[in-house]
Amino acid sequence: MRRRRPWSWGISARSALVAATVVFVALTAAGAILAAVLYRSMLSGIDSTAAARVGEVAADLQAGGAAGLDPGLLGTDQRILAVQVIKPDGSVVRRSPSAPDTPMVPISEIGDGLHIGLPEHESPYGQIRFSAQTVDGPGGRYTVLVAEGSQVVFATVKAVVIALAVAAPIVVLVSAAVTYMLVSRSMRSVDDIRSRVAEISTSDLTERVPVPEKRDEISALALTMNEMLTRIEAGHSAQQRFVGDASHELRSPLTTIISALEVAVTHPELLNSELAETTLIPEAHRMQALIDDLLLLARADERGLTMAHDDVDLDDLVASEVQRLCRHASLNITADVTPTRLVGDAVRLSRMLRNLLDNAARHAASEVSVGAHACGQHAVLIVDDDGPGIAPQDRDRVFGRFVRLDANRSRSAGGAGLGLAIVREIVAAHQGSVAISDRPGGGARVTVQLPLAYAPDSSR
């Protein structure tokens, strides 16, 4: 049976392995440091004790010679194993009861002066450390040699290392088991989220993933996924409405054209220039305009509008569109513009102006006014009409697609409900803003602010 390699394990198993490895390395490093510190600390303590004993014996020898040495200084314990006083000829003149009668370390290897913690030598006590000092006193020169109980240090450190070696696997296993259980419990929440997401389909986007009670990263993930599902649901609903509305809008002119052609087939004499001019051509133009609007909005949704970056005289665009409206509308149309130059797309801005003026003319009772001027770093365009106005709760909604506030208004008179949606896309592409408010004296006012210069969006 082929074994799975660690990197193919589940997250719980990999986390447990990583935790066990980290704990093992940490315990090994900490144990090594602890053993080294303990060894140096205990050895330093024994060296200090031996050095103190050497100093006391040397002081007595300097004062009274070997004969006057205090017998208490020859006592031994776990730290001091043996004491010898040696003459230069190698004879041991004084020693502790446990010490041999021959030098434990050859005189030639000791040298003059004070030596603390001499390298370990073979002795009746095994490999141990020594401290020594050469002094002059009554009766000649003496060498004081003290054997240190370094074996106690080795035994203690060894016991600590063995204890750590026994405890380490237990700690490693416990840490791995705890990590595995904790991560497995967390992964159950993730698996619940994954299962619920797998069940959600485009036919029912109202489902939401379960949110764990604990406020942690997984809970934040679940909340974020639910917010994403809400946006997807809203986008899917908007797309469905858009497709349905577009189909409905296209069906009307297409039905009119088909009906006229069917009548012409039945009665060829009716297929004349009057039918073409009054029915076929206007409906075809209407359908073409609707398709152009739909394509523009589809491009805006897909990758943003492609905008030119040229110098544009906004006042000239306003004058041109006002003249066009005067030729087609029997309204009192006024314009108050000052020379205003900005950087943008002249074709798109002209389309935006035309949509705003046509929308104002469609709702105006008798008057439409338009103004354009520069204010600081922005160009401000204002379009007023004296119609019924727009309620505050509808002022943002009218920029949606296929939105008609008057449901009873005929489509031929009211348009497809895409004009203001296109205005918003064009203004946003120029990094501007558009808002609707009340016109002084009654009616609606649309205010557009466009930067005099803008940085093209590289993502568009």
Side-chain angles (χ1 to χ4, degrees):
M1 182 177 179
R2 186 178 179 180
R3 294 183 179 179
R4 295 178 62 189
R5 297 183 177 180
W7 54 81
S8 64
W9 296 353
I11 294 178
S12 300
R14 280 183 288 165
S15 300
L17 177 62
V18 171
T21 303
V22 170
V23 171
F24 175 75
V25 172
L27 285 177
T28 301
I33 295 173
L34 175 62
V37 171
L38 180 63
Y39 174 76
R40 296 307 307 173
S41 175
M42 294 185 68
L43 204 59
S44 176
I46 291 178
D47 285 342
S48 298
T49 302
R53 179 67 64 87
V54 168
E56 292 172 354
V57 173
D60 259 25
L61 290 174
Q62 287 178 334
L69 183 64
D70 183 2
L73 296 178
L74 299 176
T76 60
D77 53 27
Q78 289 185 339
R79 291 173 174 264
I80 305 300
L81 299 180
V83 178
Q84 288 182 330
V85 178
I86 307 170
K87 295 286 286 182
D89 59 1
S91 59
V92 177
V93 295
R94 296 294 300 271
R95 62 186 177 86
S96 58
S98 60
D101 55 3
T102 59
M104 292 181 290
V105 177
I107 294 297
S108 59
E109 296 182 11
I110 297 177
D112 297 334
L114 177 64
H115 302 278
I116 304 299
L118 291 173
E120 295 179 355
H121 287 75
E122 185 66 35
S123 72
Y125 308 98
Q127 292 283 344
I128 60 174
R129 292 161 65 89
F130 293 91
S131 294
Q133 183 177 0
T134 301
V135 297
D136 293 322
R141 171 166 290 192
Y142 301 95
T143 297
V144 181
L145 184 62
V146 175
E148 304 177 13
S150 57
Q151 289 181 332
V152 177
V153 176
F154 300 144
T156 302
V157 173
K158 182 179 179 180
V160 170
V161 171
I162 292 174
L164 290 175
V166 172
I170 299 175
V171 175
V172 169
L173 290 176
V174 170
S175 64
V178 171
T179 302
Y180 184 86
M181 288 189 295
L182 291 177
V183 175
S184 295
R185 183 176 299 177
S186 299
M187 288 299 103
R188 281 199 293 271
S189 299
V190 175
D191 191 61
D192 291 341
I193 295 173
R194 181 199 60 77
S195 300
R196 184 64 60 84
V197 171
E199 296 172 358
I200 297 175
S201 63
T202 55
S203 60
D204 185 11
L205 291 174
T206 60
E207 294 287 338
R208 295 294 182 266
V209 301
V211 179
E213 295 181 358
K214 294 181 179 180
R215 297 303 176 184
D216 53 13
E217 289 79 0
I218 296 178
S219 175
L221 172 64
L223 291 173
T224 302
M225 292 193 69
N226 283 337
E227 293 172 358
M228 179 190 68
L229 289 171
T230 301
R231 293 194 298 268
I232 292 175
E233 181 185 7
H236 187 260
S237 300
Q239 185 181 32
Q240 287 182 322
R241 289 194 302 270
F242 183 82
V243 172
D245 290 340
S247 301
H248 188 71
E249 293 295 336
L250 287 171
R251 182 184 300 169
S252 179
L254 189 59
T255 301
T256 302
I257 293 174
I258 292 174
S259 299
L261 292 176
E262 287 176 346
V263 170
V265 171
T266 306
H267 304 283
E269 68 277 4
L270 297 180
L271 185 58
N272 51 28
S273 59
E274 181 181 359
L275 179 63
E277 292 177 359
T278 58
T279 302
L280 296 179
I281 293 178
E283 291 297 331
H285 285 167
R286 179 184 168 194
M287 187 163 60
Q288 181 184 25
L290 179 58
I291 292 173
D292 289 341
D293 290 346
L294 290 174
L295 287 175
L296 185 146
L297 292 173
R299 292 192 187 100
D301 289 340
E302 181 181 2
R303 58 181 180 275
L305 296 177
T306 302
M307 308 298 297
H309 199 63
D310 304 320
D311 290 335
V312 179
D313 290 317
L314 184 61
D315 51 307
D316 291 343
L317 295 181
V318 171
S320 176
E321 290 301 322
V322 167
Q323 291 178 1
R324 179 195 63 81
L325 187 60
C326 288
R327 292 194 299 266
H328 297 87
S330 56
L331 297 169
N332 180 22
I333 302 172
T334 60
D336 178 16
V337 298
T338 58
T340 306
R341 172 167 288 188
L342 53 81
V343 176
D345 189 313
V347 175
R348 302 291 190 194
L349 291 174
S350 179
R351 177 70 177 278
M352 180 265 295
L353 272 166
R354 177 171 299 188
N355 287 1
L356 288 177
L357 290 175
D358 287 346
N359 184 74
R362 188 177 297 118
H363 297 88
S366 60
E367 180 181 354
V368 172
S369 63
V370 58
H373 61 277
C375 181
Q377 299 297 318
H378 291 81
V380 180
L381 174 70
I382 299 175
V383 179
D384 290 338
D385 68 75
D386 61 347
I390 300 177
Q393 65 271 19
D394 294 326
R395 289 174 183 173
D396 183 65
R397 190 168 68 89
V398 294
F399 291 104
R401 299 169 186 183
F402 299 107
V403 173
R404 295 187 184 89
L405 299 183
D406 185 359
N408 297 322
R409 188 171 60 231
S410 66
R411 287 183 171 80
S412 60
L418 296 176
L420 291 180
I422 292 174
V423 167
R424 181 173 62 178
E425 293 291 347
I426 294 175
V427 171
H430 283 83
Q431 300 176 10
S433 62
V434 57
I436 297 177
S437 59
D438 291 325
R439 168 182 174 270
R445 165 170 289 181
V446 181
T447 303
V448 177
Q449 283 193 337
L450 298 169
L452 298 179
Y454 75 99
D457 189 349
S458 59
S459 64
R460 290 184 176 270

